[in-house]
Amino acid sequence: MRIGIGYDVHKLVEGRKLIVGGIEIKHNKGLLGHSDADVLIHAIMDSILGALNLGDIGKLFPDTDMAYKDIDSKILLSRVYEIMVSKGYEIGNLDSVVAAEKPKFKDYIEEMEGVIANILKTDISNISIKATTTEKLGFVGRKEGISAEAVVLLKEKN
């Protein structure tokens, strides 16, 4: 078994769609980034890559490479999944949290869990997504951005 942790932050800006957990969420702002800036999927990818001791998503998918400009992060997660499988691992379980003052994520969590479970080819019961605020503290509390953390346990495939 191997464990990994991931963390990501993106700034909220006008003129972009808000994509979190692989789905579009209605909001007046979106996240700024080279890709679609899906903060949750980025944290999940980093947790898997960390568990495999392969660095982070910036190493695999650099923001200086135009091939990844505005790319759907679900595609990148699929590539990380393929790497994980090629190394002989599968998801044991994944626990994650998204921090934002607005929007509220509770109505989207089940759909996000389903999207991520599908990409990682695991049962939805192995995927946990929680949402929180920062009680109006810091950049998240000022509604300037959204952060996400993920922890994953990988197990060797039978």
Side-chain angles (χ1 to χ4, degrees):
M1 288 200 265
R2 299 184 69 101
I3 190 167
I5 187 169
Y7 177 76
D8 198 35
V9 171
H10 283 279
K11 181 179 181 177
L12 282 164
V13 296
E14 293 184 9
R16 296 228 352 155
K17 291 180 182 178
L18 179 60
I19 309 294
V20 178
I23 65 172
E24 185 174 342
I25 295 173
K26 289 188 177 232
H27 193 56
N28 62 336
K29 292 183 179 179
L31 294 170
L32 181 63
H34 187 67
S35 66
D36 65 3
D38 187 328
V39 68
L40 178 58
I41 286 185
H42 291 185
I44 291 169
M45 288 189 292
D46 272 350
S47 71
I48 295 169
L49 292 170
L52 297 171
N53 197 22
L54 294 175
D56 61 19
I57 60 173
K59 183 176 176 182
L60 253 60
F61 314 114
D63 63 6
T64 55
D65 189 334
M66 290 309 290
Y68 306 117
K69 179 72 175 141
D70 297 323
I71 194 167
D72 184 331
S73 292
K74 293 188 301 285
I75 294 169
L76 301 179
L77 181 58
S78 293
R79 293 181 188 169
V80 169
Y81 168 80
E82 290 168 7
I83 293 167
M84 177 188 74
V85 169
S86 76
K87 300 285 186 187
Y89 289 93
E90 63 185 356
I91 299 293
N93 73 299
L94 173 87
D95 189 22
S96 60
V97 61
V98 178
E101 291 297 322
K102 297 259 183 193
K104 299 297 182 190
F105 290 98
K106 74 175 186 149
D107 293 336
Y108 301 99
I109 287 176
E110 189 174 319
E111 184 179 358
M112 290 188 281
E113 289 173 341
V115 167
I116 292 164
N118 185 53
I119 294 168
L120 297 177
K121 297 181 181 19
T122 190
D123 191 90
I124 196 167
S125 67
N126 295 327
I127 306 297
S128 170
I129 300 171
K130 301 175 297 299
T132 191
T133 69
T134 60
E135 302 294 330
K136 298 186 173 44
L137 297 173
F139 74 91
V140 170
R142 292 188 300 271
K143 302 177 192 162
E144 296 170 3
I146 296 176
S147 68
E149 292 183 69
V151 176
V152 68
L153 178 68
L154 302 184
K155 60 184 184 176
E156 289 186 64
K157 288 188 79 155
N158 295 331

